[in-house]
C-alpha cells in the first residue's frame, strides 16, 4: 500500500509486528476498529519487521469493512543490528524508534500501541489529549511506577535519576512526533542501548525513561493494564491503592498482555483473556489458535470416530446388514 497522509483530525496509530506477532497485531487492530464509537476513522501504520505476504493479507482482511485503514511500512532488521534482545522480545520491539524517523513530517502526532494489546475504548479519547508541551504521554508502569522500583531501572543513580522519578510503560504512548524528532529521541535511545547493554533491563522502555527523566504527561492507569500484575507473586510488588486496582479491573480501557505469558498460549491463567478471544474471533486467525474456546469445545477426533462407528452400526441394523 502506498504511503498515506491522514487528515489532521484523523488519529494515526503506529504499531509493529513480525510474523510471530502478526496474529495479536490483527487482534489489537480489530479491537481498535470495533470500539470507534464516535471517531469516524483511524489510519494504522504497521511497521513490518518480517511479515510475510500472507500475514499482511490476513491483517488487512481482519479489519476489512471497518473504519480503520492499514498501511505497512517495511523496516530492514539491519537498522536494528546490535540491539539487545532477550527471551520473548524480538527486534520488532525497537521498531517504533526507527519508525518515527522514517515517517518524517508525514504526521505531527501519533498513538503508539504494542501488538499485544486489546483496546476497549475509542482511541479518540487519547488523540484529543493535550500533550501540554511534553514529547509524550504514557501510563506509569503497574509494576514499576518509579525508576527505583524493584522492576524499574537497574541503577537509577548511574543516570543521575532519583529513585522516586516517575517511570512509564512504553507499550502505549501518545507522541508529539515533531518534538520527538527535534530532540533526536530515536537515535539517542538506540545509542544508549548499544553503549550500555548491561545497564538496560527493559529494552527501549528503559532507554526512553532515562532520556525523558520523568518529564512526560501521565494518563490514566486503565489505558495500560498488565494482567500479570494481578497474579502472585507480582501482585505483592504493586504500588497501587486497592481502589485503583479495582477501578482498572472493573472498567479497563486497554489491556496489555506484556511478558512471556500470552492469552493465545495459556489463556486459563491470564486475566482479560475473554476480551482477547472476543476480538480474535473477528479476525482471519479465528480458527488458527488451538486454545481458542470455540475450538476447544469442538469434538475431538477420537470421539468423532467413535460416534461415526456407532452410527454405522445403527445403519447396519436398520438395513439388516450382518
Amino acid at each position: 500500500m502506498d504511503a498515506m497522509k491522514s487528515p489532521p483530525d484523523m488519529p494515526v496509530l503506529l504499531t509493529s509486528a513480525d510474523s510471530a506477532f502478526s496474529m495479536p497485531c490483527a487482534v489489537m487492530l480489530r479491537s481498535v476498529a470495533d470500539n470507534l464509537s464516535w471517531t469516524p476513522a483511524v489510519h494504522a501504520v504497521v511497521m513490518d519487521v518480517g511479515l510475510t505476504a500472507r500475514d499482511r493479507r490476513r491483517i488487512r482482511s481482519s479489519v476489512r469493512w471497518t473504519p480503520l485503514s492499514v498501511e505497512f511500512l517495511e523496516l530492514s532488521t539491519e537498522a536494528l543490528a546490535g540491539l539487545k534482545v532477550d527471551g520473548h522480545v524480538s527486534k520488532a520491539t525497537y521498531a517504533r524508534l526507527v519508525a518515527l524517523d522514517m515517517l518524517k513530517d508525514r504526521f505531527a502526532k501519533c498513538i503508539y500501541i504494542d501488538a499485544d494489546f486489546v483496546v476497549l475504548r475509542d482511541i479518540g479519547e487519547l488523540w484529543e489529549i493535550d500533550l501540554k508541551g511534553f514529547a509524550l504521554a504514557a501510563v506509569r508502569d503497574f509494576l514499576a511506577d518509579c525508576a527505583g522500583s524493584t522492576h524499574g531501572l537497574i541503577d537509577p543513580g548511574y543516570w543521575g535519576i532519583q529513585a522516586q522519578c516517575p517511570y512509564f510503560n512504553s507499550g502505549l504512548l501518545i507522541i508529539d512526533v515533531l518534538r520527538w524528532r527535534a530532540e533526536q529521541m530515536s537515535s539517542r535511545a538506540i545509542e544508549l542501548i548499544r553503549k550500555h547493554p548491561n545497564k538496560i533491563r527493559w529494552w527501549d522502555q528503559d532507554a526512553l525513561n532515562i532520556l525523558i527523566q520523568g518529564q512526560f504527561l501521565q494518563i490514566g492507569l486503565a489505558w495500560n493494564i498488565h494482567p500479570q500484575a494481578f497474579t502472585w507473586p507480582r501482585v505483592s510488588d504493586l504500588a497501587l491503592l486497592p481502589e485503583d486496582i479495582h477501578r482498572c479491573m472493573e472498567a479497563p480501557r486497554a489491556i496489555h498482555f506484556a511478558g512471556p505469558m500470552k492469552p493465545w498460549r495459556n489463556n486459563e491463567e491470564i486475566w482479560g483473556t475473554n476480551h482477547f478471544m472476543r476480538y480474535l474471533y473477528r479476525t482471519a486467525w479465528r480458527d488458527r489458535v488451538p486454545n481458542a474456546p470455540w475450538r476447544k469445545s469442538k469434538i475431538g477426533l477420537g470421539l468423532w470416530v467413535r460416534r461415526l462407528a456407532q452410527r454405522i452400526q445403527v445403519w447396519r441394523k436398520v438395513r439388516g446388514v450382518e
Side-chain angles (χ1 to χ4, degrees):
M1 182 176 183
D2 294 333
M4 296 172 56
K5 188 163 184 176
S6 67
D9 57 345
M10 179 189 292
V12 176
L13 170 63
L14 179 65
T15 191
S16 63
D18 54 16
S19 194
F21 267 70
S22 57
M23 178 271 292
C25 178
V27 174
M28 183 274 287
L29 293 175
R30 183 72 200 206
S31 72
V32 170
D34 283 359
N35 284 288
L36 296 177
S37 57
W38 50 271
T39 299
V42 167
H43 180 60
V45 179
V46 179
M47 288 298 299
D48 177 350
V49 196
L51 294 172
T52 66
R54 178 177 290 183
D55 293 333
R56 289 186 178 203
R57 288 196 301 271
R58 287 177 177 168
I59 289 173
R60 281 202 177 101
S61 68
S62 296
V63 292
R64 188 175 295 143
W65 313 120
T66 74
L68 186 144
S69 59
V70 179
E71 169 192 350
F72 293 98
L73 192 61
E74 191 169 354
L75 173 65
S76 170
T77 55
E78 293 179 4
L80 306 175
L83 293 174
K84 179 179 180 179
V85 295
D86 181 30
H88 65 284
V89 171
S90 69
K91 288 182 179 180
T93 303
Y94 299 103
R96 63 186 146 205
L97 297 181
V98 180
L100 290 167
D101 283 345
M102 289 180 66
L103 291 171
K104 300 187 185 222
D105 59 351
R106 285 182 53 198
F107 311 116
K109 178 182 180 182
C110 76
I111 300 170
Y112 173 85
I113 302 180
D114 274 346
D116 55 358
F117 262 76
V118 166
V119 178
L120 305 173
R121 293 289 289 267
D122 192 320
I123 64 169
E125 294 182 25
L126 297 175
W127 189 251
E128 293 192 350
I129 291 176
D130 181 358
L131 292 179
K132 301 179 180 178
F134 290 102
L136 60 85
V139 178
R140 291 180 75 158
D141 197 283
F142 257 56
L143 295 169
D145 67 329
C146 295
S149 300
T150 303
H151 301 287
L153 296 177
I154 293 175
D155 184 3
Y158 179 82
W159 310 102
I161 297 175
Q162 297 293 320
Q164 294 305 310
C165 177
Y167 181 94
F168 63 84
N169 182 275
S170 61
L172 185 148
L173 304 170
I174 309 168
I175 302 172
D176 180 335
V177 178
L178 299 181
R179 179 166 179 181
W180 177 288
R181 294 186 63 237
E183 297 182 5
Q184 299 181 316
M185 294 290 293
S186 295
S187 58
R188 290 165 62 203
I190 290 172
E191 182 181 10
L192 188 151
I193 296 165
R194 284 181 173 146
K195 286 187 174 180
H196 306 276
N198 295 330
K199 292 290 184 180
I200 297 294
R201 175 188 283 144
W202 304 122
W203 312 284
D204 64 326
Q205 176 173 291
D206 273 3
L208 292 175
N209 272 281
I210 290 166
L211 295 176
I212 293 291
Q213 296 200 11
Q215 298 303 304
F216 65 95
L217 181 69
Q218 297 184 33
I219 56 179
L221 289 169
W223 277 107
N224 194 339
I225 299 174
H226 297 209
Q228 63 174 341
F230 301 137
T231 59
W232 187 262
R234 287 295 184 89
V235 71
S236 62
D237 296 322
L238 292 180
L240 304 176
L241 297 173
E243 53 265 34
D244 290 332
I245 298 174
H246 177 75
R247 186 163 53 250
C248 287
M249 296 182 75
E250 287 295 309
R253 280 173 158 75
I255 301 172
H256 185 188
F257 297 102
M261 294 182 65
K262 305 296 186 185
W264 56 92
R265 296 176 189 148
N266 38 12
N267 62 313
E268 294 180 357
E269 304 175 44
I270 306 174
W271 177 85
T273 293
N274 58 318
H275 293 293
F276 180 88
M277 293 298 174
R278 182 165 76 252
Y279 296 108
L280 170 65
Y281 190 80
R282 300 172 186 174
T283 73
W285 277 267
R286 179 174 66 181
D287 293 320
R288 300 178 183 275
V289 178
N291 69 330
W294 53 90
R295 292 199 63 188
K296 292 173 69 175
S297 63
K298 290 182 179 180
I299 298 173
L301 178 60
L303 180 57
W304 182 86
V305 170
R306 289 195 297 273
R307 288 186 178 178
L308 178 61
Q310 290 172 353
R311 289 172 183 168
I312 292 174
Q313 287 180 349
V314 171
W315 178 86
R316 289 172 66 89
K317 287 182 180 179
V318 170
R319 295 289 183 174
V321 179
E322 293 296 333

